[in-house]
Structures are given as structure tokens and as C-alpha cells.
């Protein structure tokens, strides 16, 4: 046979199967476009030149990796659906005389045609939308965008090579599927899986147990470090539990409904439950995927948006003054005097005055919290899951009395603690001593700056003796001196003065280690960091949403074609058009709204753990995070309902066409 005939058959097959081929083509084009956009932005000159340019580039690179990895799964899934749908067609070809090598050649031409179209349109749209995406990213992070348009040749080449490799792997997988089948199996493959699945109580139990453990862990954790440490383990448990419940738990529930004669032997329930049981094994994996993808969308949007909209509060809490100078390893009074001197010299040279000055010396101790007791620090190499690192900032009462109007006189076994979210109660056990604790508010806003980091921090006031240090001789400790103040400058001027102080600190004759920061510069850093995270969150959410829509669409089509004969039988045995339509509607509603309900339950139980994790990024506004989560869930549910309405019309048209 001539090769032109194979090419002609390939083109005809694409046209004939347009209903399933077009969504597949759109999937390939969109994933290529999104990959190309991220790759172009990653190498953008302005991104690399920003204050947090290196961080933004890393975030965009990670987004590119996620898109690439997800593209492999997504394209393989959609292609396997197409191959599964056409198995009967390939079997007919084989019976009519075409050998498997001829079928493979036709599929090769189809793959080449679709791949070339996908690459041309995907890269072309990527170039067209890269500038729009760049403008959007710069608007989010508050940077001035360029007016020029650049074409990244390296991005085009890498995108072409990566997706060409993906399409080649897809073709190999299709060839494998065809090569393993015989003509009879190919013809019968389309109707495979018709046998009613059995209820597997063991797998269903595993699903309930793994989900229960993950939910319990989320509620049990109370500090960010532990939440981050076990998060991915909890995610794996949720994924396992979700798949087990959808594949076996749903069958167990449906079988239980079937045994309930009062419920089951009603026309509207009989057809819906029977149809769901009959197809649930095939639907389960797709529905579990929808649930997981929906959960990913809800988590990414709610967390990144809450972080972005809370930037102002985060910066204000981390920077109680405009400029903060901190000296480390302060072992003499001369270092403190030298610090005050060079800071004031820089301010005098620029005719500035330090307003709202707060300066004090403190010691930093590192402990490990085990069973509500602080003990000598356990290194990360030997740390157990039950151990939480805790930092204690110790300020002597003479320093505290100098700074505040609240004069205190503490005994050796008494502590004054600045109120924080990690400590509850009136006793603190450190090594061999029980300290009586009095908790107070930081009304003058001098110490709260320590309360918004990932590691739990206790800011305490001790008496002037060395008894507290004597009780912690083996704990890692360091002495520090903090000098923070406000200036009548903002923006770049504030950053310039900070840079001058930083450069002067490097000339300190005592060789102390200094950290110099300002509110203005960190506002830009946080804007670029959390802005790029929000951009990537929206980007990936769009991709996951497209995947969700496509899975729903393909499931609707699959179920529609498979249920045509079944519902035709229903009409023949006496069911009216209205009853058939009602049965379709109930079945589709019960099947396709379970994932969004489960995703909402996942988010509800995960809220505590996720809020702790964003707390590690200085996000302490739980109310804002809750609002973002609720709004995201509601909006996503509306979008999901619209998708359901559109796809159910396709399903209904296939199963119950109007004459």
C-alpha cells in the first residue's frame, strides 16, 4: 500500500473523531503554551534584575517543572482515552486486512500531524501571550514593565524538544497497546469492563483509615515546623485514601444502598444506583483525579492569594521600625558603643534623626521541646518527629526596665513572657527548673518582631543574675544587640541609607557580624516573592482546572456512548422520555459532584495544617486565609457547576437524543 493512503486515512480519522480529537489537541496546545510562557518569563532580564530576581527565577523554574511533569501525565491520559475509544475501529481495520504495522503507521501519521499542529500553535500562542503574562506578573509584583517584545529562541527550542519527546513516548505507548492486542480483543475492547465490580471491604477500610490518619494529623499539629515536616506525608495519605474510597468505598456504599429495598426498588433510584455500580470501577480513577486536582486548585489559590493580600501586614509585623541593625556575637560593651556610633554617624551625614529608637541587648538560646519541656538542643540529624525546636530570646530585667514604664523585679525562678501563640499556661519547665511565667502584651511594640517566624520563639525577661544561663550551659546560645529606629524617608531613599549603614558596618574594628535591613527594601522582596507565588498559583490552577474540565468531558462522553444501549432498553421496557432524562440527571449529579464535595472536606480538615505552613511564611492572619479559602471554594464550585451543566448536555444528547 502507498504511504499516501496511510496519510489520507490518518487525516480522515482525525476529521471523523473530531469530538474527541479537538479536546486532545486543545490540551496539547494549552500545555505547550503555558510551558513556553513560563520558560520565557524565567529568562526575562527584568525578572533576573529584580531585588528578588533569583528567587522569582527559581519559582518560575519550579512552575515550569510542574507544568512539564503534569503535561506528561495529562497528555498520556487524554491519548489513552482516544486509543481506548477507537479500539473497535482498529479491530475492524485488522479484520479487513490491515496488519498491525499498517495500523501503527496510520497512528504514526496521526501523531505527527497532531504533534506538529500542537507545537506550532502552542509555541505561537506562547509567544503571543508571553508579553501579556509578563505585564501581568510585573503588575502583580509592582515592577515597571518594558515596552519591547523579545523572542526567546532557547525557550522555543527547549519546548520543541521536550514536547517532541513526550509525543514520541505517547506513540510508543500506543504502539505497545496495539501490539499486545489481537483482532477479536480490539473489537471487544470498547465494551470491556462491563462486569459489575465487587465490594472490596479491605481497600475501602484502608481508604477510611488513611484519610482518618491524615485528618487527625492536620488537627493534631500546632507548630509550623512540624506541619512542614509531615505535610507531604499527609498529602500522600490523602491521595491514597481518596483513590481507595472512590475505587472501593463508593462500591461498598452503593452495594449497601442496593440492599436497602425501600430505597433501591424505586424507578428513579433503581436506574441511578444500578448504573453507578455498573460503571463505578471505570469512573473511580477519573473521579479521584478530579477530586485531587480540585483540592490542588483550592489550596494553591487560597494560600497564594492570602499571602499576597497580607504583604503589608507581614512587613509591618516583621519590621516594627523602618531600619533594623543587629549585631551578633556581642561579647563586650565596646561593640554596642561602636554600633551606636557608626549608625548615628551615617544618619548625621545625611542630616537625619533616629525616631522611635529602641535598642537593647539579649541572648538567644536554642532548645528542643519534648513533652512540653524544654531540654538541651537536639540537632536535626538526630531529631525525632516528637521533638520541636524552640528559640528563647532572653532579655535581662534591667534592659527591660530601661525600655518600658512597666518596672519588674523577678526572682530566679520567675519569667516575664511576651504573649505569643505557642505558649499557654503559667509554668515553663526548662531542664531541671520550673519557671513561674507571667504573660504580658507588647504594648510598645518592641519585641513582637520575633513572633512571626517558622520556629516557635519565646521572648522572656529574666532577672539580672546569671541563673538562667547557668540552667542552660549546653544549649546553643548567642548574644545579640538590636538597634532599630524610624527615619523620615521612604522607598529608594530609605534603601539608600540602609545600604550606607550596611557598608559602614563592614568596617567595624571589632569584627562583629551585622545584619542591616529596612522596611522599604523588604516590602519589595515580599512583593516579588509572594507576587510570583500568586502568579504561579493562578497559572497552575488554570492548568489543573483545564485538566478537570477535560476529564469530566471525556467521562461524560464515555458514559454517554456506553449507556446508549442501556437507556434504549429502559425505554423499551416502558420508561418514558421524562423518566430516562431524570435518571440520567440523577446519575450524573451523584457521580460528578462527589469529587467537589470530597475536595471541600479535604480543604476543611487541612485548613489547620495549611494555616500553620503559611504562618512559616510570616502569614499570621488566619481570618484572611479563611476568607480566601471560602471565596475560592465558592467560585470553584460555581465554575465546576457550569462545566457540569455544559458537559451533561453532551451526555444527554448522546444518550437521549431528541427526535
Amino acid at each position: 500500500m502507498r504511504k499516501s493512503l496511510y496519510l489520507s486515512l490518518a487525516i480522515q480519522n482525525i476529521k471523523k473523531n473530531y469530538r474527541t480529537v479537538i479536546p486532545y489537541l486543545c490540551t496539547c496546545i494549552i500545555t505547550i503554551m503555558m510551558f513556553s510562557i513560563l520558560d520565557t518569563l524565567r529568562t526575562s532580564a527584568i525578572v533576573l534584575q529584580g531585588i528578588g530576581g533569583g528567587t522569582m527565577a527559581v519559582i518560575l523554574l519550579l512552575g515550569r517543572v510542574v507544568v512539564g511533569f503534569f503535561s506528561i501525565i495529562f497528555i498520556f491520559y487524554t491519548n489513552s482515552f482516544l486509543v481506548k475509544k477507537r479500539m473497535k475501529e482498529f479491530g475492524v481495520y485488522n479484520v479487513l486486512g490491515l496488519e498491525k504495522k499498517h495500523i501503527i503507521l496510520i497512528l504514526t501519521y496521526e501523531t505527527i500531524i497532531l504533534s506538529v499542529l500542537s507545537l506550532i500553535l502552542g509555541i505561537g500562542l506562547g509567544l503571543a501571550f508571553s508579553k501579556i503574562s509578563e505585564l501581568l506578573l510585573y503588575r502583580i509584583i509592582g515592577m515597571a514593565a518594558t515596552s519591547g517584545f523579545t523572542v526567546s529562541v532557547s525557550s522555543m527550542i527547549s519546548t520543541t524538544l521536550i514536547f517532541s519527546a513526550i509525543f514520541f513516548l505517547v506513540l510508543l505507548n500506543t504502539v505497545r497497546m496495539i501490539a499486545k492486542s489481537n483482532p477479536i480483543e480490539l473489537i471487544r475492547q470498547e465494551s470491556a469492563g462491563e462486569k459489575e465490580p465487587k465490594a472490596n471491604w479491605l481497600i475501602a477500610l484502608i481508604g477510611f483509615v488513611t484519610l482518618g490518619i491524615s485528618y487527625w494529623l492536620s488537627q493534631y499539629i500546632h507548630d509550623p515546623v512540624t506541619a512542614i515536616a509531615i505535610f507531604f506525608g499527609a498529602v500522600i495519605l490523602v491521595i491514597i485514601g481518596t483513590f481507595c474510597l472512590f475505587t472501593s468505598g463508593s462500591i461498598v456504599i452503593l452495594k449497601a444502598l442496593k440492599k436497602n429495598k425501600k430505597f433501591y426498588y424505586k424507578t428513579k433510584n433503581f436506574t441511578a444506583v444500578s448504573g453507578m455500580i455498573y460503571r463505578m470501577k471505570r469512573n473511580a480513577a477519573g473521579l479521584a483525579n478530579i477530586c485531587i486536582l480540585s483540592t490542588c486548585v483550592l489550596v494553591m489559590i487560597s494560600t497564594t492569594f492570602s499571602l499576597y493580600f497580607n504583604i503589608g501586614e507581614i512587613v509591618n509585623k516583621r519590621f516594627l521600625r523602618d531600619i533594623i541593625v543587629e549585631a551578633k556575637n556581642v561579647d563586650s560593651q565596646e561593640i554596642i558603643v561602636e554600633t551606636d556610633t557608626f549608625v548615628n554617624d551615617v544618619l548625621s551625614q545625611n542630616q537625619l534623626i533616629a525616631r522611635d529608637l529602641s535598642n537593647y541587648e539579649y541572648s538567644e538560646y536554642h532548645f528542643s521541646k519534648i513533652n512540653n519541656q524544654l531540654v538541651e538542643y537536639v540537632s536535626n540529624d538526630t531529631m525525632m518527629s516528637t521533638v520541636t525546636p524552640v528559640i528563647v530570646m532572653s532579655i535581662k530585667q534591667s534592659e527591660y526596665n530601661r525600655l518600658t514604664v512597666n518596672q519588674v523585679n523577678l526572682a530566679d525562678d520567675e519569667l516575664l513572657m511576651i504573649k505569643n501563640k505557642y505558649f499557654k499556661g503559667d509554668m515553663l519547665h526548662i531542664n531541671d527548673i520550673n519557671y513561674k511565667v507571667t504573660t504580658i502584651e507588647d504594648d510598645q511594640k518592641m519585641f513582637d518582631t520575633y513572633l512571626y517566624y517558622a520556629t516557635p520563639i519565646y521572648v522572656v525577661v529574666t532577672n539580672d543574675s546569671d541563673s538562667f544561663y547557668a540552667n542552660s550551659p549546653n544549649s546553643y546560645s548567642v548574644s545579640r544587640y538590636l538597634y532599630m529606629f524610624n527615619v523620615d524617608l521612604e522607598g529608594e531613599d530609605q534603601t539608600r541609607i540602609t545600604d550606607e549603614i550596611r557598608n559602614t558596618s563592614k568596617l567595624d574594628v571589632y569584627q562583629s557580624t551585622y545584619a542591616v535591613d529596612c522596611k522599604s527594601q523588604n516590602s519589595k522582596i515580599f512583593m516579588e516573592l509572594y507576587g510570583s507565588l500568586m502568579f504561579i498559583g493562578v497559572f497552575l490552577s488554570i492548568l489543573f482546572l483545564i485538566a478537570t474540565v477535560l476529564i469530566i468531558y471525556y467521562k461524560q462522553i464515555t458514559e454517554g456512548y456506553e449507556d446508549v444501549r442501556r437507556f434504549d432498553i429502559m425505554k423499551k421496557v416502558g420508561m418514558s422520555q421524562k423518566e430516562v432524562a431524570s435518571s440520567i440527571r440523577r446519575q450524573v449529579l451523584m457521580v460528578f459532584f462527589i469529587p467537589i464535595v470530597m475536595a471541600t472536606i479535604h480543604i476543611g480538615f487541612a485548613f489547620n495544617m495549611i494555616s500553620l505552613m503559611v504562618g512559616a511564611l510570616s502569614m499570621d492572619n488566619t481570618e484572611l486565609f479563611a476568607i480566601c479559602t471560602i471565596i475560592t471554594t465558592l467560585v470553584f464550585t460555581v465554575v465546576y457547576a457550569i462545566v457540569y451543566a455544559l458537559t451533561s448536555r453532551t451526555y444527554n444528547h448522546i444518550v437521549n437524543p431528541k427526535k
Side-chain angles (χ1 to χ4, degrees):
M1 297 176 67
R2 293 182 301 175
K3 292 184 179 180
S4 59
L5 177 60
Y6 299 131
L7 178 60
S8 177
L9 285 173
I11 295 173
Q12 289 179 18
N13 289 339
I14 293 173
K15 292 180 179 179
K16 182 177 64 177
N17 295 285
Y18 73 93
R19 181 171 282 176
T20 53
V21 170
I22 289 178
Y24 171 74
L25 184 62
C26 290
T27 299
C28 297
I29 292 171
I30 292 172
T31 52
I32 292 171
M33 178 189 72
M34 300 182 83
F35 184 91
S36 176
I37 290 173
L38 286 180
D39 204 36
T40 301
L41 290 177
R42 181 179 61 88
T43 57
S44 171
I46 294 186
V47 168
L48 297 175
Q49 290 170 4
I51 295 176
T55 303
M56 278 202 300
V58 170
I59 292 173
L60 293 171
L61 175 61
L62 291 175
R64 172 180 176 267
V65 171
V66 172
V67 172
F69 178 76
F70 186 73
S71 296
I72 297 174
I73 300 173
F74 199 13
I75 293 174
F76 262 81
Y77 174 84
T78 51
N79 182 75
S80 65
F81 170 83
L82 293 178
V83 175
K84 179 76 173 179
K85 181 71 178 63
R86 297 176 59 192
M87 278 297 183
K88 184 177 180 180
E89 174 188 337
F90 299 148
V92 172
Y93 281 157
N94 203 288
V95 171
L96 293 177
L98 287 180
E99 299 179 18
K100 289 183 180 179
K101 64 179 181 180
H102 300 142
I103 298 174
I104 291 172
L105 188 55
I106 293 173
L107 289 173
T108 302
Y109 277 118
E110 291 182 17
T111 302
I112 292 173
I113 293 170
L114 294 176
S115 301
V116 171
L117 280 174
S118 300
L119 287 169
I120 292 174
L121 294 175
I123 294 176
L125 290 173
L127 290 174
F129 283 97
S130 62
K131 187 61 182 180
I132 298 175
S133 301
E134 182 183 273
L135 294 173
L136 177 61
L137 175 60
Y138 294 163
R139 178 66 180 271
I140 291 173
I141 64 178
M143 292 178 62
T146 59
S147 57
F149 181 81
T150 58
V151 176
S152 176
V153 178
S154 61
S155 175
M156 294 173 61
I157 294 174
S158 63
T159 302
T160 301
L161 292 176
I162 290 172
F163 279 88
S164 296
I166 293 174
F167 289 131
F168 180 70
L169 292 175
V170 167
L171 176 61
L172 290 181
N173 183 58
T174 304
V175 170
R176 180 190 62 81
M177 294 173 65
I178 299 297
K180 288 179 63 177
S181 302
N182 60 46
I184 302 300
E185 288 176 342
L186 288 172
I187 294 174
R188 297 178 57 187
Q189 187 70 30
E190 192 179 46
S191 60
E194 295 290 328
K195 186 177 180 180
E196 181 177 308
K198 296 180 180 179
N200 192 322
W201 285 90
L202 177 60
I203 301 231
L205 181 62
I206 291 173
F208 283 111
V209 170
T210 51
L211 271 186
I213 292 174
S214 63
Y215 289 166
W216 177 81
L217 286 174
S218 179
Q219 304 306 307
Y220 171 77
I221 301 304
H222 300 292
D223 66 273
V225 175
T226 308
I228 294 171
I230 70 170
F231 175 73
F232 290 103
V235 169
I236 292 173
L237 288 176
V238 168
I239 293 174
I240 293 173
T242 301
F243 274 91
C244 287
L245 286 184
F246 273 98
T247 54
S248 295
S250 58
I251 303 293
V252 170
I253 294 172
L254 289 170
K255 292 273 190 178
L257 291 175
K258 188 175 180 179
K259 290 180 179 179
N260 186 339
K261 296 182 179 180
K262 291 183 179 180
F263 174 85
Y264 182 66
Y265 287 108
K266 293 181 181 179
T267 304
K268 58 182 181 179
N269 296 333
F270 177 83
T271 54
V273 174
S274 296
M276 289 179 64
I277 291 178
Y278 200 70
R279 301 295 189 188
M280 202 57 200
K281 186 175 182 180
R282 179 176 295 174
N283 282 333
L287 296 176
N289 284 325
I290 293 173
C291 179
I292 298 299
L293 291 172
S294 300
T295 306
C296 290
V297 171
L298 296 176
V299 170
M300 285 190 294
I301 293 294
S302 59
T303 54
T304 56
F305 270 70
S306 60
L307 285 170
Y308 180 78
F309 288 123
N310 201 51
I311 289 175
E313 183 179 333
I314 290 172
V315 173
N316 288 333
K317 286 181 176 179
R318 287 180 68 102
F319 287 83
L320 300 179
R321 305 291 188 274
D322 292 337
I323 298 177
I324 298 178
V325 180
E326 189 172 46
K328 186 179 179 181
N329 299 321
V330 179
D331 55 6
S332 66
Q333 190 66 27
E334 286 81 1
I335 294 178
I336 295 176
V337 174
E338 181 70 18
T339 303
D340 294 351
T341 300
F342 74 68
V343 171
N344 285 308
D345 286 346
V346 172
L347 294 178
S348 298
Q349 293 169 10
N350 289 273
Q351 299 181 345
L352 295 171
I353 298 176
R355 297 186 295 101
D356 306 316
L357 175 64
S358 177
N359 60 320
Y360 53 87
E361 185 179 1
Y362 68 92
S363 297
E364 176 184 312
Y365 298 90
H366 289 231
F367 293 97
S368 293
K369 185 178 181 181
I370 304 177
N371 298 326
N372 282 330
Q373 297 184 12
L374 300 188
V375 298
E376 304 299 345
Y377 180 70
V378 180
S379 67
N380 289 333
D381 294 334
T382 59
M383 187 174 291
M384 301 174 292
S385 59
T386 56
V387 176
T388 301
V390 174
I391 297 175
V392 175
M393 302 292 193
S394 171
I395 304 169
K396 291 192 175 182
Q397 68 180 21
S398 57
E399 282 283 83
Y400 179 80
N401 290 337
R402 178 179 64 83
L403 293 168
T404 69
V405 295
N406 301 320
Q407 303 297 295
V408 297
N409 186 18
L410 301 170
D412 287 349
D413 63 344
E414 292 181 328
L415 296 176
L416 193 68
M417 182 179 293
I418 307 300
K419 185 177 180 181
N420 65 82
K421 60 185 177 181
Y422 299 113
F423 179 81
K424 308 293 181 185
D426 56 6
M427 295 294 293
L428 178 63
H429 186 89
I430 302 179
N431 290 328
D432 298 325
I433 297 180
N434 284 320
Y435 291 93
K436 300 174 185 177
V437 178
T438 302
T439 304
I440 62 169
E441 297 282 351
D442 182 23
D443 296 327
Q444 294 177 283
K445 301 298 179 186
M446 288 184 291
F447 310 108
D448 270 354
T449 184
Y450 301 117
L451 305 182
Y452 300 96
Y453 293 87
T455 302
I457 296 178
Y458 299 165
V459 180
V460 301
V461 180
T462 67
N463 65 10
D464 288 341
S465 70
D466 292 328
S467 61
F468 188 83
Y469 173 77
N471 185 40
S472 312
N474 298 319
S475 294
Y476 170 78
S477 63
V478 61
S479 58
R480 298 177 184 268
Y481 174 66
L482 190 70
Y483 191 97
M484 58 183 183
F485 55 91
N486 289 326
V487 291
D488 294 323
L489 296 174
E490 295 181 357
E492 295 297 329
D493 292 331
Q494 188 182 112
T495 302
R496 177 179 57 80
I497 293 298
T498 304
D499 289 338
E500 285 189 33
I501 296 174
R502 185 180 295 112
N503 293 332
T504 306
S505 71
K506 296 177 182 178
L507 304 177
D508 175 33
V509 295
Y510 294 97
Q511 298 300 308
S512 182
T513 302
Y514 288 92
V516 184
D517 275 312
C518 72
K519 182 181 292 186
S520 175
Q521 192 172 46
N522 276 267
S523 294
K524 290 185 177 180
I525 292 174
F526 276 102
M527 183 67 75
E528 293 180 11
L529 173 61
Y530 293 162
S532 56
L533 281 175
M534 188 178 78
F535 178 81
I536 289 296
V538 173
F539 214 79
L540 295 179
S541 295
I542 292 173
L543 183 62
F544 290 167
L545 182 60
I546 292 171
T548 301
V549 171
L550 198 67
I551 292 173
I552 294 174
Y553 176 78
Y554 278 157
K555 278 296 172 188
Q556 295 275 35
I557 290 178
T558 302
E559 290 302 299
Y561 282 118
E562 290 177 350
D563 290 344
V564 168
R565 291 188 298 272
R566 186 179 309 123
F567 285 106
D568 186 53
I569 293 172
M570 291 180 186
K571 286 187 284 188
K572 289 180 179 179
V573 297
M575 290 182 66
S576 65
Q577 186 90 352
K578 183 179 179 180
E579 289 174 329
V580 172
S582 175
S583 178
I584 294 172
R585 184 168 57 254
R586 286 174 59 83
Q587 184 171 336
V588 174
L589 273 171
M590 291 173 68
V591 170
F592 286 99
F593 272 87
I594 291 175
I596 191 65
V597 172
M598 283 295 297
T600 304
I601 294 172
H602 289 343
I603 289 294
F605 278 99
F607 182 84
N608 178 62
M609 181 180 288
I610 298 173
S611 61
L612 289 172
M613 291 176 62
V614 295
L617 298 173
S618 303
M619 166 69 181
D620 199 48
N621 193 336
T622 306
E623 182 179 349
L624 175 62
F625 180 48
I627 292 172
C628 288
T629 302
I630 292 171
I631 293 175
T632 301
T633 304
L634 292 175
V635 172
F636 184 81
T637 302
V638 171
V639 173
Y640 192 93
I642 293 172
V643 172
Y644 156 76
L646 295 175
T647 55
S648 64
R649 290 174 59 187
T650 303
Y651 177 89
N652 191 41
H653 177 73
I654 295 172
V655 175
N656 193 23
K658 294 182 180 180
K659 301 292 184 178

